Amino acid sequence: MKNIGILLIVTVLLGTSCTDYLTEDNRSTITTDEYYSTEAGYEALVNACYSTLRELYSDMNFDNDNQKNYTSMQGLSMLGTDLFCSGHLADQNDILDGYYLLTPDHSAVELLFTNCYKSIQLHNVALSWANKTVQTEKIPARVAEVRFIRADVYYILLEFYGGVSIIEEAFDMPVESFPRDSEEDVYAFIIKELTEIRNALPETPEQVGRVS
């Protein structure tokens, strides 16, 4: 009798379709295409562009020890000068205080370069969505803000590395290399961006911290 019961259960299970509970019904998240096409989504994307400045202007160490800021932009630009003091707790600052190990393959040099281009990629994504998102009266100013911050990032790259690659397109696939533009071309690009957006920005920003 027990065997017959087990057989009946197996038969019922085999005869039951599993389609219903295997069909995906994602109720917790939305895609970027859905989100960025909304007003709130595009605002969040522009705000994310602002947030990339934290990685450039603040301490890049993960231990939150402000003494060890040699990997920040301030560390790279001011250590070894009369503008910046070497903290005794910052044992790794010795590497850059005298610039005797400041080479292109140093991790701090690489990190700043990487963070700049991560920022540029996000700005390019925001600009690529400017015409695809819902159009509001804020869009021209938001586009100008994004172009300004991207130009600022290019200025940082220019000051540290000279001529770098000018990238204006957003990529969703890996790209292994880009041609390097001249220092003059990067300067011209920055000036062009700032000139074109000047009239699209308000004299007084609606929120503290926004580009004006």
Side-chain angles (χ1 to χ4, degrees):
M1 190 67 179
K2 182 178 179 181
N3 292 337
I4 294 176
I6 294 174
L7 183 61
L8 287 174
I9 292 173
V10 172
T11 302
V12 171
L13 290 176
L14 290 176
T16 302
S17 173
C18 60
T19 303
D20 292 340
Y21 59 83
L22 288 181
T23 301
E24 182 179 358
D25 184 15
N26 190 346
R27 301 182 181 183
S28 61
T29 60
I30 60 175
T31 65
T32 55
D33 288 351
E34 294 172 318
Y35 188 53
Y36 292 160
S37 62
T38 66
E39 181 179 358
Y42 193 72
E43 283 286 300
L45 181 57
V46 173
N47 291 342
C49 293
Y50 277 93
S51 72
T52 62
L53 296 175
R54 294 177 180 174
E55 293 183 323
L56 302 179
Y57 286 97
S58 64
D59 191 348
M60 296 180 191
N61 285 279
F62 299 111
D63 57 6
N64 294 320
D65 179 0
N66 290 328
Q67 293 289 334
K68 293 185 178 180
N69 51 11
Y70 80 105
T71 54
S72 67
M73 190 172 66
Q74 295 94 318
L76 283 176
S77 59
M78 293 188 286
L79 280 171
T81 71
D82 58 356
L83 300 175
F84 206 93
C85 294
S86 170
H88 291 292
L89 295 179
D91 54 332
Q92 298 181 80
N93 279 353
D94 293 338
I95 295 174
L96 298 181
D97 273 337
Y99 294 116
Y100 60 92
L101 288 179
L102 183 55
T103 58
D105 59 350
H106 190 280
S107 60
V109 177
E110 179 184 2
L111 184 59
L112 178 61
F113 187 86
T114 300
N115 284 336
C116 281
Y117 274 105
K118 282 169 54 181
S119 176
I120 289 170
Q121 164 67 3
L122 185 58
H123 285 71
N124 289 341
V125 170
L127 292 174
S128 72
W129 273 95
N131 294 324
K132 295 185 290 185
T133 189
V134 59
Q135 298 300 298
T136 68
E137 61 181 11
K138 293 182 179 180
I139 293 297
R142 294 293 183 259
V143 169
E145 292 172 30
V146 172
R147 290 176 69 182
F148 176 90
I149 303 172
R150 185 180 65 174
D152 183 44
V153 174
Y154 270 111
Y155 180 72
I156 293 171
L157 284 168
L158 188 64
E159 288 293 288
F160 279 92
Y161 306 101
V164 293
S165 301
I166 301 173
I167 304 170
E168 300 182 73
E169 183 181 351
F171 294 93
D172 55 9
M173 296 291 290
V175 179
E176 294 183 355
S177 63
F178 296 93
R180 185 171 184 171
D181 294 285
S182 69
E183 189 171 347
E184 292 78 10
D185 287 342
V186 181
Y187 266 120
F189 173 76
I190 294 171
I191 294 171
K192 170 180 170 292
E193 289 289 286
L194 298 182
T195 302
E196 290 181 358
I197 66 174
R198 182 172 52 190
N199 295 328
L201 292 167
E203 185 174 342
T204 303
E206 60 185 273
Q207 295 171 307
V208 176
R210 287 196 180 275
V211 178
S212 64

